[in-house]
Every structure is written in C-alpha cells, then in structure tokens.
Amino acid sequence: QLQLVESGGGLVQAGDSLRLSCAASGRFLGNYNMAWFRQAPGKEREFVAAITTSGSRTNYANSVKGRFTISRDSAKNTVYLQLNSLKPEDTAVYYCAGTRSGLPTYSALYDYWGQGTQVTVSS
C-alpha cells in the first residue's frame, strides 16, 4: 500500500512562495505517476499538476501554469510542488495523489491520497 504524507503548507502573503512536499512510504514512489490537487472551502477538488514516473512529462492546470512547478526525487521517495507568486485564490487544502494510469486530471482515477496540507494566502 502506497502511503502519502504532505507537508509544507502555511499562511503566507500574496506574492510569496511555498514548497509543498509529499513523502511516500510502503512502496517505491517511482512506480507511480503523481499529481497535486487542491480543494477550497465549498468547492470541488480540482487538478493542479501531475508528473510521470520518470519526471520527463508534466501537466498543469491553466490557473497555475507558469507559477507552480511539480518535481520528484526518487531517491527521497518524495514529490514536490513549488508555489510561486501566490494569490488569495490559491487558498485551499492541497493533496498529493498517485496512480498507475497515465496523467489524468480526473481525481477518481487516482488510487492513493495523502491527508492534505493547508495553504492560506492573505491579500
């Protein structure tokens, strides 16, 4: 069973940066395509970014393209999400997720989820 634990969230001001981490245990993270999703209060969970097992291909939501960067370190069994130029509308709980099924943007196609980390951006 792949277990995922997110960290790195916090309260920041607009324009600041954060780096979220997703540490895996139980299985080798390198066998899974990984993604980040987020969910704001009262809204549905939405796709943010995804990365293939090798890290050679990534995909981003239009709302974060050019500001967020997803990466992975197989040696550390960890996936990262670098958040730059943060905006108040980026406020949400951020979740990492794993799948063997390509790079889907649909959350139901991900089999493994972390518990989430809160990111709050003040204006």
Side-chain angles (χ1 to χ4, degrees):
Q1 184 82 355
L2 180 66
Q3 296 175 327
L4 303 171
V5 178
E6 302 93 335
S7 62
L11 172 62
V12 297
Q13 293 186 333
D16 285 352
S17 298
L18 280 175
R19 190 176 79 157
L20 307 183
S21 299
C22 173
S25 62
R27 292 185 179 173
F28 178 51
L29 193 63
N31 292 331
Y32 297 85
N33 296 315
M34 298 297 296
W36 289 91
F37 287 78
R38 67 186 181 185
Q39 188 167 18
K43 295 188 177 181
E44 293 187 354
R45 191 169 297 189
E46 66 172 354
F47 171 79
V48 174
I51 188 167
T52 54
T53 53
S54 66
S56 61
R57 192 157 63 95
T58 57
N59 187 26
Y60 294 93
N62 288 334
S63 60
V64 306
K65 200 171 292 184
R67 299 189 299 122
F68 292 6
T69 303
I70 189 171
S71 61
R72 64 192 305 158
D73 185 335
S74 294
K76 295 183 178 180
N77 226 29
T78 300
V79 174
Y80 303 99
L81 186 68
Q82 178 69 39
L83 292 67
N84 296 332
S85 302
L86 281 161
K87 304 175 181 179
E89 51 263 43
D90 294 319
T91 295
V93 177
Y94 283 72
Y95 299 89
C96 69
T99 182
R100 292 183 181 268
S101 303
L103 283 184
T105 60
Y106 185 40
S107 60
L109 294 178
Y110 286 82
D111 302 306
Y112 304 98
W113 291 85
Q115 84 290 346
T117 185
Q118 175 72 47
V119 172
T120 303
V121 185
S122 64
S123 57

